[in-house]
Structure formats: structure tokens, C-alpha cells
Amino acid sequence: MYSNTLSRSTSAAVLDVLMMAADKFEVVSCIRYCSRMLRLMPMTCESAVLYLDLPSSILKSDAIQPLIETARLFLAIHYRDITK
């Protein structure tokens, strides 16, 4: 059961909890918490693309939008000048 706490291990582990909370049980507080944890973890190009490729059932949640915007911004900054 979700009790407003998660052990902070890897982004993959938190993403698994997010997928389960959003897809199966629709626990908005858990989705919001996972989104916040993922935004605090170091972002890579791979993780940003993974966040943007979440299932539509998760992407339509308002609680996940800050993570989506952070991933978009990360990629926009990272690939700002593709001529280098």
C-alpha cells in the first residue's frame, strides 16, 4: 500500500511505481510524488525521452505535467544547437 513514502533508489524503480499508480490504481498523490522525485533525480536524454513516451493514460494526468515539461525543457536545452 502507498503511504506517502517511497524509498528513493533509481529513476527506473520510481517510474515503475508511477506506472502502477497511474495505470492501475489512479492514486493521484502517488503520481504527484513520483513526478516530483523523478524531477529531482539527474535527468539524461534517455530518461527524458522515456518520460515523454509514457502511456497516454499517464500523460493526460495533471499531476504528471511538471515532469513532462521538465523533460521537454531538458531536451530543448540539450539539443539547442545541433550543428555542434
Side-chain angles (χ1 to χ4, degrees), residues 25-41:
F25 304 111
E26 298 179 7
V27 181
V28 176
S29 62
C30 185
I31 296 168
R32 192 174 297 113
Y33 184 77
C34 290
S35 174
R36 186 174 32 241
M37 285 183 68
L38 290 168
R39 286 191 325 267
L40 292 174
M41 292 179 176

Side-chain angles (χ1 to χ4, degrees), residues 48-59:
V49 169
L50 187 62
Y51 303 153
L52 294 175
D53 195 36
L54 290 169
S56 62
S57 60
I58 296 173
L59 291 176

Side-chain angles (χ1 to χ4, degrees), residues 7-73:
S7 62
R8 187 175 171 180
S9 53
T10 65
S11 58
V14 176
L15 195 56
D16 286 344
V17 172
L18 172 64
M19 299 277 286
M20 190 66 98
D23 258 356
K24 305 245 186 245
F25 304 111
E26 298 179 7
V27 181
V28 176
S29 62
C30 185
I31 296 168
R32 192 174 297 113
Y33 184 77
C34 290
S35 174
R36 186 174 32 241
M37 285 183 68
L38 290 168
R39 286 191 325 267
L40 292 174
M41 292 179 176
M43 186 147 328
T44 64
C45 291
E46 292 80 15
S47 64
V49 169
L50 187 62
Y51 303 153
L52 294 175
D53 195 36
L54 290 169
S56 62
S57 60
I58 296 173
L59 291 176
K60 66 183 177 184
S61 170
D62 289 339
I64 200 72
Q65 292 311 306
L67 177 62
I68 299 308
E69 290 304 316
T70 301
R72 286 180 182 155
L73 181 62

Side-chain angles (χ1 to χ4, degrees), residues 3-4 65 76:
S3 61
N4 270 349
Q65 292 311 306

